[in-house]
Amino acid sequence: MDAMQGNNHDDVRRHNLSIILRLVHRDGAASRAQLTRLTGLNRSTIGALVAELAEHGLVEERTPDPTKLAGRPSPIVAASDRVVAIAVNPEIDAVTVGVVALSGVVHRRIRWAVSSVPSAAEAVSLTAGIVTELRRDLEQYSIIGIGVAVPGLVRASDGLVRLAPHLGWVDEPFCDLLAAATGLPVVAANDASLGANAERYFGAGRGMTDVIYLNGGASGIGGGLIVGGAVAGGLAGYAGEFGHTRVSSGSSTDSAGIAGTLEAEVTRAALLDVLGLRGSETDADALERALLASDSPVVRAEVARQLDFLAVALASAVNVLNPQLIVLGGFLAALHAADADRLSSAVGALALGAAFEGVQITPAQLGSNLLVIAAAELAFEALLLDPQTIVGNISG
Amino acid sequence: MDAMQGNNHDDVRRHNLSIILRLVHRDGAASRAQLTRLTGLNRSTIGALVAELAEHGLVEERTPDPTKLAGRPSPIVAASDRVVAIAVNPEIDAVTVGVVALSGVVHRRIRWAVSSVPSAAEAVSLTAGIVTELRRDLEQYSIIGIGVAVPGLVRASDGLVRLAPHLGWVDEPFCDLLAAATGLPVVAANDASLGANAERYFGAGRGMTDVIYLNGGASGIGGGLIVGGAVAGGLAGYAGEFGHTRVSSGSSTDSAGIAGTLEAEVTRAALLDVLGLRGSETDADALERALLASDSPVVRAEVARQLDFLAVALASAVNVLNPQLIVLGGFLAALHAADADRLSSAVGALALGAAFEGVQITPAQLGSNLLVIAAAELAFEALLLDPQTIVGNISG
DNA sequence: ACTAATTTGTTGAGGTGGGCAACGTATCAC
DNA sequence: GTGATACGTTGCCCACCTCAACAAATTAGT
């Protein structure tokens, strides 16, 4: 019952600043007049709030757009390009570091390839090096903090990486190490959960409150949930592991050693195999093109097989969560593109009619910027929650 | 983005009144001193807020408990016994109507048996009759409204009963009809979702934020979710249908005609069958006693078979939702009691280690009062959200 | 029993911040 | 130009929370 907190006047101010900053961050620039309508606040209040945000450098006021409407034009309020978060995404073959502005602009994206799977310590020192370099270039920018998208289970309470199977990390305090190395606040979460959130705000699920996101990677299937408008993390932040849902009575096992699961039956490797492609040379787009181009019955059969298994997992999720949107990323997007109708009708046959009513299945939209935007969003969260306090602690 | 609302001063007052009323409603009576600590508000503010709630008759202040502590004793604030909601639960063989006070006391529970499955119109007129009767007895009570727990899918936006398979109701505007017949505000939701909420606040899941609730009834398995501290309804309020999760490749079908689902494999009827019992004569307790008393290998095998299938569904749910508690009601509680260790280890074997860490599986606690409390809670929600406004609209 | 210490209710003053209304200003239409 | 429209700006008001001082009710110690 810790959420049972009383409100005082400071909370009102904080909440109102938070809402305005969120609006211009998530939905893009808006005129002051639009903000008054969206928030229901008085226009004099909006004026004061925007002035305060502008004073802190969080938003900028631009000259009004010509609107062809009568009346005094309203200045455009836009999230700052100079307030940035650093996004980090360690993977088996590279560490990606990005710089994303509060305005949504991706200033930089640096993919630093590594020859062998990086240990946590290596990833920290590599990242810290890149960050030091970046800070020299970003002297007139304000760096809010670092957000890390980890391909594994991250404990929500303290950012400890409990298990990142592909990286071989177990109980690595990546956050604390990186914070110590850079002196910046660091927050981490599961990559797929962050991806779900990013797609919800900036991609295919814009404005939606109940979204299921599944991402198919080279080594497994991860996912994230938006339930009732909030990222569902579960007790410890491990929610969203759709890959280990049982979908068949087969004996092939997944990365966790569990048999008959989605991750065991639906794999990128099997698709590449029937297509005669090499994984290392085939990105998501190439796979999709190859699938669409092929008319081999073997390929079609494998696509159908995988789609039917995917449908089992999705149908269960639809029954349990009654989402309005299912977003598929990675090779699952390619699979979906190969035969969208089959997937949709298979899910429809296995799900309750009412729960599936109005459910859309779409590919992810954010592409290669997804995890950069997603991780930066995590770092921005503290600022969006409390613009006044956070901005006070930043150099400038 | 409709949730992007600004806060003004009225909202502060409303929020603070709401929080205090919620605290004394959900966690029982508390002293003013405790309320100051829990809310973080100033004690003078608490005094004013409690006085306002007391003036409206929503809470009562009692003489302090002897606490053995130094200092001036703090009066106890308790939710009123006289402010009540009416709970309604239509079933195939009866309509149950209850009267529950804001204090949590169940004043009445009337189970009106019917000889044939009631139509929506019959259930409405039956309920309205009982309510009229009750209102005569409850003249000095304030009736907040009516909450209905429906064994089926209820559209969240308007309370339309989309589908209640066992009752044979399709698109029945039960809420509107009952509201017209009684003149009271009526809200409805799925019985299992409401049950999950009630167990969370008043039963096995007290104070928890991520709970999965599954209820085994005579004709199927329903469920509800608490995700991140809120009831997860999904887009239209249909979330929680665990019964149709696929758990086997068998061909037996469930009530929706889908094969190999939890509801098809795990049934009360099959348990009664191996026990040689009649369903109509066996309530949940009797079933549990019979299961515990039996040492027949046939019974043990059936219990094991059903538990293993239940484990498949629960493991998927654990992976996806990372809950802290799984609550089992109805015949699933009996099944759990018959061999709790088998269920727990089977789920553990199929779920990711980290996600299953710390997950408890327990039987439901609220027993026969569950749905009465659950439905009343739904009716109370409007009052708890805005004590000032709602109480103004009530007769007294 | 009396005093000291402790905790809490009560009261009145103070201040923060949003609403409001009047006024000023920038655009469009004619 | 002139009017209409829409919006920013300003000063005042007020709701409501905090704070500090004081009063009240209890326990512990002598």
Side-chain angles (χ1 to χ4, degrees):
Chain A
M1 285 294 141
D2 41 331
M4 283 291 192
Q5 281 286 333
N7 258 7
N8 56 26
H9 281 135
D10 289 354
D11 295 325
V12 175
R13 185 70 165 189
R14 174 165 44 242
H15 180 238
N16 286 342
L17 286 170
S18 169
I19 275 183
I20 292 178
L21 194 57
R22 278 201 139 89
L23 277 171
V24 297
H25 168 61
R26 302 237 161 103
D27 299 338
S31 72
R32 283 210 223 169
Q34 287 176 293
L35 292 176
T36 58
R37 281 188 290 268
L38 287 168
T39 59
L41 295 170
N42 192 279
R43 58 179 189 241
S44 54
T45 307
I46 291 289
L49 292 168
V50 168
E52 180 166 348
L53 290 174
E55 198 178 326
H56 290 312
L58 295 172
V59 302
E60 280 155 18
E61 288 198 272
R62 293 199 304 251
T63 54
D65 287 338
T67 59
K68 309 244 171 196
L69 276 164
R72 179 174 177 173
S74 190
I76 303 295
V77 181
S80 169
D81 280 327
R82 312 251 130 163
V83 174
V84 299
I86 293 178
V88 177
N89 177 221
E91 291 172 294
I92 50 173
D93 55 351
V95 174
T96 303
V97 179
V99 177
V100 184
L102 197 58
S103 65
V105 174
V106 178
H107 284 308
R108 297 280 181 83
R109 198 172 86 230
I110 300 162
R111 188 182 150 93
W112 194 284
V114 291
S115 50
S116 63
V117 177
S119 69
E122 285 163 8
V124 166
S125 69
L126 190 57
T127 306
I130 300 173
V131 168
T132 307
E133 195 79 15
L134 281 171
R135 287 174 99 165
R136 254 196 292 278
D137 296 357
L138 299 175
E139 271 198 342
Q140 74 272 49
Y141 290 62
S142 296
I143 302 175
I144 293 298
I146 300 179
V148 188
V150 179
L153 300 176
V154 180
R155 194 201 279 159
S157 53
D158 58 359
L160 183 82
V161 178
R162 285 302 313 278
L163 176 69
H166 315 313
L167 293 170
W169 298 2
V170 177
D171 290 338
E172 294 285 354
F174 186 84
C175 273
D176 294 345
L177 294 174
L178 190 56
T182 60
L184 290 167
V186 182
V187 274
N190 173 264
D191 56 353
S193 287
L194 292 177
N197 197 39
E199 283 288 343
R200 183 265 292 254
Y201 282 126
F202 305 111
R206 223 171 267 247
M208 300 203 177
T209 56
D210 290 84
V211 178
I212 292 174
Y213 171 78
L214 267 78
N215 187 62
S219 45
I221 294 175
L225 304 173
I226 311 294
V227 177
V231 179
L235 173 61
Y238 308 149
E241 293 295 328
F242 289 100
H244 308 279
T245 302
R246 180 182 281 186
V247 296
S248 86
S249 47
S251 59
S252 53
T253 59
D254 60 26
S255 61
I258 310 172
T261 62
L262 179 64
E263 198 173 286
E265 299 288 357
V266 177
T267 68
R268 184 161 169 271
L271 288 177
L272 293 170
D273 204 38
V274 293
L275 287 165
L277 294 171
R278 288 262 194 85
S280 54
E281 300 160 0
T282 314
D283 65 6
D285 287 348
L287 175 62
E288 181 166 331
R289 280 195 304 275
L291 281 176
L292 288 172
S294 167
D295 56 357
S296 146
V298 178
V299 170
R300 281 210 303 273
E302 177 63 16
V303 165
R305 193 188 69 82
Q306 294 205 10
L307 283 174
D308 288 351
F309 283 129
L310 180 58
V312 173
L314 292 182
S316 291
V318 165
N319 287 334
V320 171
L321 295 163
N322 182 217
Q324 55 198 303
L325 183 74
I326 297 171
V327 179
L328 299 174
F331 83 85
L332 294 179
L335 202 55
H336 171 256
D339 195 347
D341 289 344
R342 182 180 188 107
L343 181 62
S344 179
S345 58
V347 175
L350 293 171
L352 291 176
F356 189 58
E357 201 169 69
V359 176
Q360 300 251 358
I361 305 179
T362 64
Q365 268 185 14
L366 294 176
S368 55
N369 273 336
L370 172 65
L371 285 186
V372 172
I373 293 172
E377 189 66 15
L378 180 63
F380 281 134
E381 183 55 28
L383 176 69
L384 294 172
L385 258 182
D386 187 358
Q388 264 175 326
T389 310
I390 301 296
V391 85
N393 305 333
I394 307 168
S395 46
Chain B
M1 290 293 139
D2 41 328
M4 284 290 192
Q5 280 287 331
N7 258 6
N8 56 27
H9 281 136
D10 289 355
D11 294 326
V12 175
R13 186 68 166 189
R14 175 166 40 242
H15 180 238
N16 287 342
L17 286 170
S18 168
I19 274 182
I20 292 178
L21 195 56
R22 278 201 140 89
L23 277 171
V24 299
H25 169 60
R26 301 239 159 102
D27 299 337
S31 72
R32 277 163 58 168
Q34 285 175 295
L35 292 176
T36 58
R37 280 188 290 268
L38 287 167
T39 59
L41 295 169
N42 192 282
R43 60 179 190 246
S44 53
T45 309
I46 291 291
L49 292 168
V50 168
E52 182 166 347
L53 290 174
E55 199 178 326
H56 289 313
L58 296 172
V59 302
E60 281 155 18
E61 287 198 272
R62 292 200 304 251
T63 55
D65 286 338
T67 60
K68 306 241 170 198
L69 276 164
R72 179 174 177 172
S74 190
I76 303 296
V77 181
S80 169
D81 281 327
R82 313 250 128 164
V83 174
V84 299
I86 293 177
V88 177
N89 176 222
E91 291 173 292
I92 51 171
D93 55 351
V95 174
T96 302
V97 179
V99 178
V100 184
L102 197 58
S103 63
V105 174
V106 178
H107 283 308
R108 295 281 181 84
R109 197 171 89 232
I110 299 162
R111 188 181 149 91
W112 194 284
V114 291
S115 50
S116 64
V117 177
S119 71
E122 284 162 6
V124 165
S125 69
L126 191 55
T127 305
I130 299 174
V131 168
T132 307
E133 195 78 15
L134 281 171
R135 287 174 99 165
R136 252 197 292 279
D137 295 357
L138 300 174
E139 270 198 343
Q140 72 273 48
Y141 291 61
S142 296
I143 302 174
I144 293 299
I146 300 179
V148 188
V150 179
L153 300 175
V154 180
R155 195 200 279 158
S157 54
D158 58 358
L160 183 81
V161 178
R162 286 302 313 279
L163 176 69
H166 315 314
L167 293 170
W169 297 3
V170 177
D171 290 338
E172 294 285 354
F174 186 83
C175 273
D176 294 345
L177 293 174
L178 189 56
T182 60
L184 290 167
V186 182
V187 275
N190 174 263
D191 55 354
S193 288
L194 293 178
N197 196 40
E199 283 288 343
R200 184 266 293 252
Y201 283 126
F202 304 111
R206 221 170 268 246
M208 301 205 176
T209 57
D210 290 83
V211 177
I212 293 174
Y213 170 79
L214 267 79
N215 187 62
S219 44
I221 293 175
L225 303 174
I226 310 293
V227 177
V231 178
L235 173 60
Y238 307 150
E241 293 295 328
F242 288 99
H244 309 278
T245 303
R246 182 184 279 188
V247 296
S248 85
S249 48
S251 58
S252 53
T253 59
D254 60 25
S255 61
I258 310 172
T261 61
L262 180 64
E263 197 173 288
E265 299 288 357
V266 177
T267 65
R268 184 160 168 271
L271 288 176
L272 293 170
D273 206 35
V274 292
L275 286 167
L277 295 172
R278 286 262 194 84
S280 53
E281 300 158 0
T282 314
D283 65 8
D285 288 346
L287 176 61
E288 183 168 328
R289 279 196 304 274
L291 281 175
L292 288 171
S294 169
D295 56 355
S296 147
V298 178
V299 170
R300 281 209 303 271
E302 176 62 17
V303 166
R305 192 187 70 82
Q306 294 206 10
L307 283 174
D308 289 351
F309 283 129
L310 179 57
V312 173
L314 291 183
S316 290
V318 164
N319 286 335
V320 171
L321 295 164
N322 182 215
Q324 53 197 309
L325 184 73
I326 298 172
V327 180
L328 299 174
F331 83 86
L332 295 179
L335 203 54
H336 171 256
D339 195 348
D341 289 344
R342 184 182 188 107
L343 180 62
S344 179
S345 57
V347 174
L350 293 171
L352 292 176
F356 188 57
E357 204 169 69
V359 176
Q360 300 250 359
I361 305 179
T362 63
Q365 267 185 14
L366 294 177
S368 55
N369 272 335
L370 172 65
L371 285 185
V372 171
I373 292 172
E377 190 65 16
L378 179 64
F380 281 133
E381 183 54 29
L383 175 69
L384 293 172
L385 257 181
D386 187 357
Q388 264 175 327
T389 311
I390 300 297
V391 85
N393 304 334
I394 306 168
S395 46

